Amino acid sequence: MRNRESSVVFKVIMYIVLVLLAIMSLAPFWIMLMNATRSTYEIQQHAISFLPSTYLKSNLQILLGKSFNPLVGFKNSLIISVFATGLSVYFSTLTAYALVVYDWKLKRPFFRFIMGIMMIPAQVTTIGFYQMVYKVHMTNNLLMLILPAIAAPSMVFFMRQYMYPSLSMEIIQSARIDGAKEFYIFNKIALPIMKPAIATQAIFSFVNSWNNLFMPLILLTDQKNYTMPIMVSLLRGDIYKTEYGSIYLGLLLTVLPLIIVYLLLSKYIIAGVALGSVKG
């Protein structure tokens, strides 16, 4: 009887903690949404409000009046994020596949080299990368923000660690005996097995690409190539006034695609966790 009562108390406490954590996680997004409907005066008087106001339309008019073009920003950010995420995930998984499945002389030195690259801060290579891009006259080309995503050492490490216990060599050997080509085996057998890891890394990669401000701000000088983070960073009022309501609305428009991507890919992560628990 006592064990049952203690179990019920533990569950109640656990649910209370989970609800509090959920509220703490969602509160910043809700406040941002509410501030997008409020005027600058209301925000200055009370920075935090959990109730909407009536200034959403006027904030949108102010936002569009500041040379803020959300369609252009969405298009550029979406092109960069989708293609960078796709290239990063595919080639990182392919590299991890080569490190796990094949046995070649330089496999260990190559993996150590990848681990060493992970230790180098990205800021160290920024100057050299910009000089290279400037010399080849591609400073206003979105490709320069997409192609470097192919080299993702941390993602290769994650995929390799996930692939070791998940990918059975017996399946690979059986496919080879049946006459399947190597790329067919990778695309039709390895990639489906890696879905949970791919979904996890795709979320992180998409968020990093979408929120990236530093490199696009350096490489992109033409307004038609601006991404959403650049446009939001340039949302300033004149020297007399800053329209905080329109800034919060711009931030809200920037965050929405990230939430959508997470909702689309989270089911694969949950499925992978459930599968792992069943195997265990």
Side-chain angles (χ1 to χ4, degrees), residues 24-274:
M24 291 172 62
S25 301
L26 295 175
F29 296 100
W30 182 257
I31 293 172
M32 180 176 61
L33 176 62
M34 295 301 99
N35 283 344
T37 67
R38 303 168 68 208
S39 66
T40 300
Y41 176 77
E42 289 176 338
I43 294 173
Q44 289 175 334
Q45 292 298 312
H46 302 285
I48 298 177
S49 175
F50 294 98
L51 298 175
S53 187
T54 58
Y55 291 89
L56 179 62
K57 186 177 180 180
S58 61
N59 287 336
L60 182 61
Q61 291 174 348
I62 294 171
L63 187 65
L64 298 178
K66 291 185 175 186
S67 300
F68 182 88
N69 193 334
L71 294 180
V72 172
F74 269 113
K75 183 192 73 173
N76 293 330
S77 291
L78 199 61
I79 290 173
I80 294 171
S81 301
V82 169
F83 283 99
T85 299
L87 290 175
S88 181
V89 168
Y90 184 82
F91 283 98
S92 296
T93 309
L94 185 61
T95 306
Y97 181 81
L99 290 170
V100 173
V101 173
Y102 301 115
D103 190 15
W104 39 291
K105 283 186 178 181
L106 298 177
K107 183 167 77 170
R108 291 182 180 274
F110 183 72
F111 180 67
R112 293 193 188 101
F113 174 75
I114 292 175
M115 295 296 291
I117 295 295
M118 287 176 57
M119 303 298 125
I120 301 176
Q123 291 79 4
V124 174
T125 60
T126 299
I127 297 175
F129 179 71
Y130 175 77
Q131 288 178 342
M132 182 197 72
V133 173
Y134 181 77
K135 287 180 180 179
V136 297
H137 306 289
M138 296 188 71
T139 51
N140 266 307
N141 197 318
L142 298 183
L143 281 175
M144 290 297 98
L145 296 169
I146 296 173
L147 294 180
I150 293 175
S154 59
M155 192 179 296
V156 172
F157 174 76
F158 180 88
M159 293 297 185
R160 176 184 177 271
Q161 298 304 108
Y162 186 91
M163 192 176 292
Y164 260 120
S166 301
L167 185 62
S168 174
M169 291 302 298
E170 287 77 11
I171 297 177
I172 304 298
Q173 295 297 339
S174 299
R176 288 172 179 169
I177 293 171
D178 291 339
K181 302 297 183 181
E182 293 299 322
F183 268 103
Y184 181 88
I185 295 173
F186 173 73
N187 291 320
K188 298 297 183 179
I189 297 176
L191 282 182
I193 292 175
M194 296 290 292
K195 268 186 180 180
I198 289 173
T200 303
Q201 291 302 307
I203 291 174
F204 292 143
S205 179
F206 188 90
V207 170
N208 288 332
S209 297
W210 186 275
N211 289 335
N212 189 13
L213 173 63
F214 180 64
M215 192 57 69
L217 197 59
I218 294 175
L219 297 180
L220 305 178
T221 57
D222 193 343
Q223 288 189 0
K224 68 179 182 181
N225 292 325
Y226 279 178
T227 60
M228 284 294 288
I230 293 178
M231 290 185 175
V232 172
S233 70
L234 297 178
L235 284 178
R236 298 288 186 272
D238 53 32
I239 59 175
Y240 303 105
K241 187 177 181 181
T242 299
E243 295 290 348
Y244 291 107
S246 63
I247 292 176
Y248 275 107
L249 182 57
L251 291 172
L252 179 63
L253 293 175
T254 305
V255 170
L256 281 178
L258 303 180
I259 298 174
I260 294 172
V261 168
Y262 175 77
L263 293 177
L264 291 175
L265 296 178
S266 60
K267 62 180 181 180
Y268 295 107
I269 301 174
I270 297 171
V273 173

